[in-house]
Amino acid sequence: MRASLIQIAVDEGESVNSRRSRVSSLVREVAGRERPDLVVLPELWTTGAFAYETFASEAESLEGPTYEAMAKAASDAGVWLHAGSVPERDASGDLYNTSLVFSPDGSLAASYRKIHRFGFDKGEAVLMGAGSELVTVRTPAAAIGLATCYDLRFPELFRGLVDAGAEMFVVPAGWPARRREHWTLFARARAVEDQVYVLACGTGGTHAGVPQAGHSVVVDPWGEVLAEAGDGEEVLTVDLDLAKVAATREQFPALKDRLLGVEAPPR
Ligand SMILES: NC(=O)CC(=O)C(=O)O
């Protein structure tokens, strides 16, 4: 399986509409040039994850303009597209940080509402509702578990995804530069403890005065970093051998030694 992560620079000064059409073109261009099976975009790339004051004004219904543009980009490009996340407004007016995954025919394969909202007593944590469901998507190449940004700090979510069959975690993010070390550390930790591929796609540039970490990263099930971006706009393309997930779990069967949170301890 080949995957391309597009680390978008969410800079002030570019309108949401122009970024949406620029990103749609980028998806087509990257798909044509790199020939990936899967393209991944970051969290809240229309607004920026820290532009809290724009969440309400830019929120969309699930099938809003970003959904439409990304569904078309996926089908034009003929790829699986994890379109990152959008600020979603549901029918009752509540906001969620919702990821969208499209299949190559442009239909929605899955959506995931971010469970752990960032900000403690402000920002996303008070403006958006919490998702409550773990989501995995089965593509022909891999079973993909979905998580978003701050979720990376909560290993129990990822263990739940592994129990649901995930062989790969795709994590769109808008992680800030000041905690970049944590970002890479968590991406590698989740890969090692769950013996999966981790594709973590962040934003570059600066928005709402917050310099972004960038450094999107792809980690294999042994914890090796296969590719890592810098801090600007960049595309990372990697070939993934999904057989490595089963091989790692067989050679080093630590997941079988779990005693807590499993119904019947295996030994
Ligand atoms: N922005 C986030 O969702 C997460 C974050 O910044 C962190 O450090 O965690």
Side-chain angles (χ1 to χ4, degrees):
M1 176 189 210
R2 176 172 292 182
S4 292
L5 282 61
I6 308 182
Q7 176 172 292
I8 307 290
V10 182
D11 286 313
E12 280 123 343
E14 184 182 35
S15 73
V16 169
N17 279 342
S18 62
R19 186 153 46 247
R20 194 183 288 119
S21 62
R22 186 170 70 80
V23 170
S24 304
S25 305
L26 256 177
V27 170
R28 291 185 188 89
E29 190 185 306
V30 168
R33 189 180 65 233
E34 317 264 338
R35 302 270 163 216
D37 305 292
L38 170 70
V39 173
V40 182
L41 300 176
E43 179 189 29
L44 297 178
W45 54 266
T46 55
T47 57
F50 288 91
Y52 301 139
E53 66 291 348
T54 65
F55 288 174
S57 57
E58 297 297 343
E60 311 174 20
S61 67
L62 189 71
E63 298 190 354
T66 304
Y67 177 108
E68 278 183 24
M70 294 298 107
K72 181 153 177 16
S75 66
D76 287 352
V79 291
W80 286 86
L81 174 61
H82 186 312
S85 69
V86 293
E88 178 206 351
R89 186 188 302 281
D90 75 0
S92 56
D94 294 332
L95 302 186
Y96 295 92
N97 184 341
T98 304
S99 290
L100 303 171
V101 182
F102 296 93
S103 31
D105 65 3
S107 61
L108 187 70
S111 65
Y112 163 70
R113 287 177 170 167
K114 183 177 182 180
I115 293 178
H116 304 94
R117 298 151 303 155
F118 185 67
F120 310 114
D121 56 357
K122 59 181 174 14
E124 182 190 25
V126 295
L127 296 170
M128 289 184 168
S132 55
E133 280 175 36
L134 297 188
V135 179
T136 54
V137 194
R138 285 175 199 278
T139 74
I144 302 176
L146 305 184
T148 307
C149 201
Y150 187 48
D151 283 333
L152 259 185
R153 292 185 183 270
F154 301 88
E156 61 278 16
L157 183 158
F158 294 87
R159 207 25 84 75
L161 292 171
V162 163
D163 286 342
E167 302 160 289
M168 175 190 292
F169 301 143
V170 175
V171 189
W175 203 275
R178 73 176 78 94
R179 292 186 291 279
R180 178 160 81 73
E181 299 298 329
H182 291 187
W183 160 251
T184 316
L185 188 65
F186 284 132
R188 294 190 68 195
R190 298 297 84 90
V192 172
E193 72 198 356
D194 291 316
Q195 303 183 307
V196 292
Y197 281 100
V198 172
L199 278 57
C201 183
T203 45
T206 294
H207 67 262
V210 182
Q212 296 296 287
H215 285 262
S216 296
V217 66
V218 177
V219 189
D220 80 2
W222 191 247
E224 300 288 343
V225 172
L226 300 183
E228 184 170 349
D231 51 16
E233 191 152 299
E234 193 172 329
V235 178
L236 281 187
T237 297
V238 277
D239 287 313
L240 310 170
D241 174 9
L242 266 298
K244 231 176 171 180
V245 173
T248 306
R249 290 177 182 177
E250 202 177 304
Q251 283 156 20
F252 197 84
L255 283 175
K256 285 197 186 145
D257 277 341
R258 291 168 64 195
L259 294 175
L260 303 178
V262 285
E263 272 173 25
R267 53 183 149 116

